[in-house]
Amino acid sequence: MCTAIFLKNKNSYFGRTLDLEYGYDEQVVITPKNYKFTFRHEKTPRRLFPVIGMATVVNGYPLYYDAMNNHGVAMAALNFPGNAEYFAEKKDFTNIAPFEFIPWILRRCKNMTDVREQLKNINITDTPFSARYPNTPLHWIIADKKEAITVESTAGGLMIYDNSIGVLANNPPFYLQQLNVTDNISTLPGDFESPSRFTRAAYIKSKSVPGKNETDSVTQFFHIMDTVSQVEGINVKNGKYVTTRYTSCMNQHKGIYYYTTYENRQISAVDINKTKPDSKTLITFPLVNKQQIFLHCVNK
């Protein structure tokens, strides 16, 4: 139950909601260029761009939900149950596990040309991270500063779609989401199912007024995402309420990762350019979850 958007005005912005009934101790994580990222089937790439995003760190390994590199290429993984298909390792292919896909692309690609070149030969394998963390059925939205694409690993192979709408939700597959928007853009649906969130986000994003400055743009981005956010009590799964655990917004030109959480509506931010670029260890920032309220003081 997640939604991602790519928005262009003076700068380009990319972000998503993460809608779950529980959390995995997610935090903002910077993978510096000198951090040794290992892959299950492939050698560590020579190009090592630093990456910032939201992740769960397990045994020193960042499992990214969404992230951006210092060149502004951004990527998010969304749930895709019943449609995602992963495969055994294939000879003469670049074999990447689902949990490795975000770092593989972002550590080596500085624009969409690089991304498309990588995708020509990628096979998403059925390799799990561990017994405790089995594979999740996923599809992905990737954007540089100019354009976005959707990537889906299905029974038919790796499907790559130009995403001029700049939106991704969960099911159905992306080509059906596009058709649904075309058919229903004039009547906005009010429920929180994936096709409805996709249509609502696409329409509101297309009508939103560009911000006059960075603060305006970021604020506008979060307002758009609020239209697809999950409020406690609306959706129940496994006996627990699904909520939007966090919403992210990345400025792809400035390298700033903004976020809010369900508990704290004040925007927090981490700038990839203001951390230790030569570090060899992960740099982590626990989420600011306590609600921040500005209290006016009455003059005596």
Side-chain angles (χ1 to χ4, degrees), residues 11 16 44-45 68 107 151 161 185 200 208 226 281 297:
N11 288 320
R16 58 92 56 81
T44 300
M68 165 183 65
R107 293 282 273 174
V151 179
Y161 304 94
I185 195 68
R200 195 157 60 248
S208 66
D226 283 343
T281 59
C297 295

Side-chain angles (χ1 to χ4, degrees), residues 57-77:
V57 179
V58 181
N59 298 327
Y61 195 104
L63 300 172
Y64 279 108
Y65 304 95
D66 57 77
M68 165 183 65
N69 67 24
N70 64 322
H71 291 280
V73 180
M75 189 170 177

Side-chain angles (χ1 to χ4, degrees), residues 13-271:
Y13 298 88
F14 180 96
R16 58 92 56 81
T17 61
L18 180 73
D19 305 329
L20 287 174
E21 70 274 23
Y22 48 79
Y24 287 99
D25 296 323
E26 55 270 6
Q27 55 191 318
V28 178
V29 179
I30 293 177
T31 300
K33 64 180 181 180
N34 291 328
Y35 175 83
K36 188 175 181 179
F37 226 119
T38 58
F39 296 88
R40 297 296 175 89
H41 306 288
E42 303 295 333
K43 295 180 180 179
T44 300
R46 292 182 180 179
R47 266 182 172 169
L48 296 175
F49 300 140
V51 172
I52 183 171
M54 194 72 73
T56 296
V57 179
V58 181
N59 298 327
Y61 195 104
L63 300 172
Y64 279 108
Y65 304 95
D66 57 77
M68 165 183 65
N69 67 24
N70 64 322
H71 291 280
V73 180
M75 189 170 177
L78 277 67
N79 202 23
F80 194 42
N83 287 297
E85 187 80 23
Y86 305 141
F87 302 92
E89 187 177 1
K90 295 181 181 179
K91 186 179 179 181
D92 298 326
F93 278 79
T94 302
N95 293 284
I96 301 297
F99 63 88
E100 300 174 327
F101 195 24
I102 289 179
W104 179 265
I105 292 295
L106 297 187
R107 293 282 273 174
R108 63 191 298 134
C109 297
K110 63 181 180 180
N111 52 41
M112 194 58 70
T113 300
D114 288 348
V115 172
R116 292 182 186 277
E117 187 64 29
Q118 284 299 312
L119 294 177
K120 288 180 180 179
N121 202 48
I122 277 184
N123 172 51
I124 305 296
T125 70
D126 55 7
T127 312
F129 180 76
S130 67
R132 183 181 177 186
Y133 293 92
N135 279 328
T136 300
L138 300 170
H139 60 170
W140 296 266
I141 179 171
I142 309 172
D144 64 4
K145 299 170 186 176
K146 298 179 180 179
E147 61 177 319
I149 63 173
T150 294
V151 179
E152 297 178 343
S153 181
T154 67
L158 196 70
M159 312 301 292
I160 303 165
Y161 304 94
D162 290 331
N163 188 340
S164 60
I165 299 171
V167 176
L168 186 64
N170 307 108
N171 282 318
F174 181 71
Y175 75 94
L176 292 176
Q177 299 269 25
Q178 287 181 302
L179 292 175
N180 186 60
V181 164
T182 303
D183 293 340
N184 297 294
I185 195 68
S186 60
T187 57
L188 284 183
D191 65 69
F192 285 89
E193 295 302 313
S194 295
S196 299
R197 286 183 283 106
F198 189 102
T199 300
R200 195 157 60 248
Y203 176 80
I204 293 172
K205 183 175 84 75
S206 70
K207 297 295 184 180
S208 66
V209 177
K212 299 175 183 177
N213 52 45
E214 177 72 353
T215 300
D216 286 348
S217 297
V218 171
T219 300
Q220 186 77 319
F221 191 99
F222 280 100
H223 279 310
I224 296 169
M225 299 306 281
D226 283 343
T227 67
V228 294
S229 295
Q230 301 280 320
V231 177
E232 188 173 20
I234 298 297
N235 187 6
V236 179
K237 185 177 180 181
N238 300 323
K240 296 182 178 180
Y241 291 121
V242 174
T243 61
T244 296
R245 294 195 57 81
Y246 76 85
T247 303
S248 63
C249 170
M250 310 172 213
N251 184 316
Q252 295 170 261
H253 292 258
K254 296 184 178 181
I256 303 174
Y257 188 98
Y258 301 92
Y259 72 90
T260 62
T261 70
Y262 191 81
E263 295 83 7
N264 180 19
R265 303 302 296 154
Q266 186 178 82
I267 298 171
S268 302
V270 180
D271 188 339

